[in-house]
Amino acid sequence: MARYLTVSAAQMGPIHRSDNRNDVVERLINLLRDAAAQNAELVAFPELALTTFFPRWVMPVEDADEFYETEMPNDYTQPLWDEAARLGVGFTLGYALKTEDNHRYNIYHMVDKRGQDVGIYRKVHIPGHQEYEPWREFQHAERRYFEPGDDFPVWNAFDAVVGMAICNDRRWSETYRVMGLRGVELIVIGYNTPLHYAPDPSQDALQGFHNALVAQSGAYQNGTFVVVVAKGGVEEGVDSLSDTLVVAPSGEILARSSTRADELVVADCDLDWCR
Ligand code: CDV
């Protein structure tokens, strides 16, 4: 007997520094409504889905406070929580979190169909650098702005075993393996991946290949569905990958985005296939 979960990966086009949170949340709500109209039960938004990818600039950490959330939901995002609960759709949302005791994390937050928290994941593999590096075309100072998380938990939610990861995590086998050993059936991964890879530009042309390679091998080797969802397109002059995928436990790509803008990718996932 099949056990279906309809998943929608909500790819986003760029978010610019001048875009305000209310407009961004409106985009998220539009995607959520369209996904609900296609019977989605879980909508996956990308990494840092409320702001521009601010680690491309080096500034004093305190000056970056405007890019962090200090509670969730908050005044800006409450309408998203309300609409999701009204529609009976769960979601995963990526954002930067500053805690009360001044820790800063790159977060993926999962909410169930009733608007209740499932769990919060803290990005483990923090790529890039801490200080300004003048040789780069643009900065990738995630190590300045985020402390790493230290685990890959799974949760029982959506009548499934689900897990989360963020962007660079998807390139490392232990991300999938730890969750695989914990019985994961669906791993949701939000990302922002510049097409230009400064440490080795010979790999620039391989960004799409590497994205599919790791999602497909992670899915196949661990018998799990994997969703990788992009915030892509040209954001503040940086061109980023827009290749959103839903991958089956067989390693096959079930659904894929075709634009560089806000776009839904929907797939019916038979969780029993994971067996
Ligand atoms: N947001 C990311 O983690 N980006 C990295 C880049 C810097 C390589 C990635 O793995 O896509």
Side-chain angles (χ1 to χ4, degrees):
M1 219 180 75
R3 189 164 46 103
Y4 280 105
L5 177 67
T6 304
V7 177
S8 176
Q11 174 175 290
M12 297 183 76
I15 301 175
H16 295 292
R17 194 168 181 167
S18 57
D19 294 348
N20 74 52
R21 290 263 211 307
N22 289 326
D23 292 342
V24 175
V25 171
E26 200 174 308
R27 281 168 65 185
L28 300 179
I29 290 174
N30 286 337
L31 285 162
L32 189 89
R33 286 185 180 140
D34 288 352
Q38 296 180 57
N39 301 318
E41 297 164 85
L42 171 59
V43 178
F45 296 112
E47 174 190 32
L48 296 180
L50 293 173
T51 64
T52 198
F53 192 83
F54 64 92
R56 73 170 63 91
W57 298 290
V58 169
M59 62 190 106
V61 176
E62 300 70 37
D63 290 0
D65 276 354
E66 63 175 299
F67 299 109
Y68 292 80
E69 316 304 317
T70 52
E71 56 179 346
M72 194 60 86
N74 54 31
D75 288 350
Y76 294 110
T77 54
Q78 189 64 52
L80 173 68
W81 256 253
D82 292 345
E83 186 64 357
R86 190 185 73 77
L87 293 166
V89 179
F91 62 91
T92 55
L93 181 69
Y95 58 89
L97 176 72
K98 181 181 161 192
T99 65
E100 267 177 23
D101 51 351
N102 210 22
H103 293 284
R104 293 166 190 264
Y105 299 106
N106 191 338
I107 290 290
Y108 217 6
H109 189 151
M110 186 181 284
V111 175
D112 73 12
K113 294 180 190 178
R114 291 166 299 132
Q116 304 296 313
D117 285 349
V118 173
I120 287 182
Y121 168 77
R122 294 175 298 157
K123 184 175 183 176
V124 169
H125 298 94
I126 307 290
H129 50 102
Q130 205 164 358
E131 302 302 329
Y132 182 71
E133 296 190 352
W135 57 273
R136 291 175 183 263
E137 265 179 39
F138 51 87
Q139 304 295 297
H140 195 104
E142 277 195 68
R143 290 187 180 176
R144 186 180 191 84
Y145 298 114
F146 301 122
E147 293 174 44
D150 58 4
D151 196 12
F152 299 101
V154 299
W155 291 270
N156 291 307
F158 302 94
D159 295 319
V161 182
V162 294
M164 297 179 268
I166 302 179
C167 198
N168 196 261
D169 290 321
R170 76 194 190 286
R171 305 184 189 277
W172 304 89
S173 55
E174 72 273 12
T175 301
Y176 307 89
R177 194 71 197 126
V178 171
M179 289 189 264
L181 291 170
R182 293 171 169 169
V184 77
E185 296 174 314
L186 170 68
I187 301 175
V188 182
I189 306 174
Y191 75 84
N192 283 256
T193 294
L195 293 177
H196 175 55
Y197 181 57
D200 179 9
S202 74
Q203 298 189 49
D204 289 3
L206 302 177
Q207 291 297 352
F209 168 63
H210 287 159
N211 179 55
L213 177 72
V214 293
Q216 291 183 264
S217 57
Y220 175 62
Q221 291 170 343
N222 294 285
T224 181
F225 287 87
V226 172
V227 173
V228 284
V229 54
K231 170 147 68 68
V234 182
E235 187 181 271
E236 298 291 346
V238 176
D239 202 357
S240 294
L241 186 68
S242 304
D243 198 6
T244 293
L245 309 173
V246 179
V247 182
S250 61
E252 293 164 283
I253 294 172
L254 294 184
R256 182 172 220 156
S257 58
S258 58
T259 73
R260 314 199 67 207
D262 292 7
E263 177 185 347
L264 289 177
V265 175
V266 184
D268 292 326
C269 300
D270 176 7
L271 299 167
D272 280 343
W273 200 355
C274 300
R275 292 185 188 170

